[in-house]
Amino acid sequence: MRVRKAVLPAAGFGTRFLPATKAIPKEMMPLVDRPIIQYAVEEAAASGIEQIIIVIATGRSAIEDHFDSNASLERWLEERGDIDMLRTIRRISEFGTVAFVHQREQLGLGHAVLMAKDLVGDEPFAVILSDDVMLNPSGEPVTRQLIDAHVTHRGSVIAVQRVDRQDVTRYGILDPLHEEGRLVEIRNLVEKPSVEDAPSDLAVLGRYVLTPKIFDVLEQTSRGAGGEIQLTDAIRTLIGEQPVFGYQFEGTRHDAGTRLGWLKANVAVALESEDADEFRAYIRGLDLRD
Ligand code: UTP
């Protein structure tokens, strides 16, 4: 079955990026000239997704406003003859179908995904965590890579990449059964293991293609670490019932939900932007000695 829909959870508190995220969701922080979530929507569109479902926190409308049209701004740009910017602004609100669902209480990522159950229905779907910025400028978008793996191998597919051994404590880590090329058959998933106990260095990162069975599992999943309904816990249960694969995607990932990750993502995006030459010259001219 085709993967037509993507769920973008964006209702978290973003506590690692306070106070910037006090009044705006971290997904609205800009990367160069666009909010983080717009990169995720563009990645979804470039991956063949036709319907985006964004999970937002009740009472926070910035993301909804961003994807809505803005008649007075458009009129203002038109009157001044800024046609390029007018096109850019209109394109944002013209992306396929963007639907919003509310998460009333921040009960975790698994709970946020569950909020999209009715809109997704009985079909496989992608989950995109937009604060995991995935860049693959000369290749396939990461979501597309996962969808292709799902079409070939069926079952659910989660994005993984090798991390430094000392960093395994920050991620969900795969216990791999078998590796073949980029595909990894999974025996189990371990959430934030110690360096000694980690079964591998393959970390789960923010892209998934899941079968609708995950909703049944999420409904049965009780609160785990941090009192939250964890998507990782639900995927672990799913492994016992259906095939779940890891896919070692091609591309660079930045955790833009942290200060340092956000800074790195800005540099990476800027070096691919129309200001790249000037920016590169600026960086080269910096005195970077200690
Ligand atoms: P994170 O753990 O990165 O988000 O969740 P957070 O809780 O916002 O951030 P910190 O840890 O406090 O800094 C991963 C994704 O899941 C969403 C977040 O918006 C982010 O995209 N999320 C998380 C929800 O939509 N709802 C939740 O209850 C929790």
Side-chain angles (χ1 to χ4, degrees):
M1 200 187 240
R2 277 173 57 219
V3 179
R4 304 182 304 142
K5 300 180 183 180
V7 176
L8 278 60
F13 281 128
T15 52
R16 285 167 300 163
F17 221 140
L18 281 167
T21 49
K22 184 171 171 235
I24 56 158
K26 66 180 164 190
E27 289 80 3
M28 282 303 290
M29 301 270 295
L31 280 188
V32 181
D33 62 353
R34 280 167 280 168
I36 289 174
I37 195 158
Q38 198 180 320
Y39 291 86
V41 168
E42 287 171 9
E43 178 185 326
S47 302
I49 295 291
E50 293 161 13
Q51 187 181 351
I52 303 276
I53 300 152
I54 304 181
V55 184
I56 53 172
T58 304
R60 280 190 152 187
S61 62
I63 297 177
E64 237 171 323
D65 294 344
H66 181 71
F67 289 102
D68 204 350
S69 55
N70 182 336
S72 50
L73 174 64
E74 288 179 23
R75 211 174 315 113
W76 191 86
L77 290 167
E78 203 163 10
E79 278 164 19
R80 272 150 193 79
D82 193 347
I83 302 306
D84 283 349
M85 186 49 76
L86 183 63
R87 278 204 199 104
T88 304
I89 294 296
R90 282 199 176 137
R91 225 176 290 132
I92 301 170
S93 51
E94 280 167 2
F95 172 81
T97 323
V98 182
F100 294 89
V101 285
H102 289 242
Q103 187 188 25
R104 283 179 201 284
E105 251 190 295
Q106 275 58 46
L107 294 180
L109 173 59
H111 182 255
V113 171
L114 187 55
M115 297 298 100
K117 179 183 172 185
D118 289 345
L119 284 176
V120 171
D122 193 22
E123 55 183 279
F125 65 103
V127 174
I128 301 180
L129 307 189
S130 37
D131 55 334
D132 261 347
V133 175
M134 305 277 194
L135 302 172
N136 193 23
S138 50
E140 294 274 303
V142 176
T143 298
R144 172 91 259 167
Q145 297 176 42
L146 260 55
I147 292 173
D148 289 346
H150 164 80
V151 168
T152 309
H153 303 281
R154 304 281 137 206
S156 298
V157 184
I158 56 187
V160 297
Q161 218 166 43
R162 294 195 189 281
V163 294
D164 287 340
R165 196 77 196 180
Q166 70 269 17
D167 291 336
V168 292
T169 53
R170 291 167 30 205
Y171 299 97
I173 298 292
L174 294 199
D175 182 356
L177 195 62
H178 177 67
E179 277 184 50
E180 199 170 323
R182 292 183 175 275
L183 201 75
V184 188
E185 261 184 77
I186 308 178
R187 182 186 294 119
N188 200 0
L189 270 184
V190 190
E191 190 59 31
K192 301 187 174 72
S194 66
V195 174
E196 299 73 44
D197 293 340
S200 77
D201 56 0
L202 288 165
V204 176
L205 301 172
R207 301 288 183 277
Y208 313 74
V209 171
L210 300 169
T211 60
K213 177 83 189 155
I214 196 75
F215 293 122
D216 301 337
V217 179
L218 279 168
E219 276 170 342
Q220 304 298 322
T221 303
S222 40
R223 295 188 190 196
E228 297 189 336
I229 296 175
Q230 302 284 353
L231 185 61
T232 310
D233 289 344
I235 293 175
R236 195 183 300 120
T237 308
L238 193 64
I239 292 170
E241 302 185 16
Q242 287 186 346
V244 180
F245 300 99
Y247 187 79
Q248 301 185 62
F249 62 91
E250 184 198 354
T252 313
R253 169 258 183 188
H254 296 283
D255 181 2
T258 67
R259 280 189 307 248
L260 192 57
W262 178 79
L263 286 168
K264 289 179 184 174
N266 269 285
V267 172
V269 172
L271 288 173
E272 294 291 331
S273 73
E274 58 190 54
D275 300 319
D277 291 344
E278 215 174 318
F279 186 61
R280 193 172 287 111
Y282 167 73
I283 299 267
R284 282 213 181 97
L286 291 176
D287 182 357
L288 295 174
R289 285 167 300 183
D290 283 334

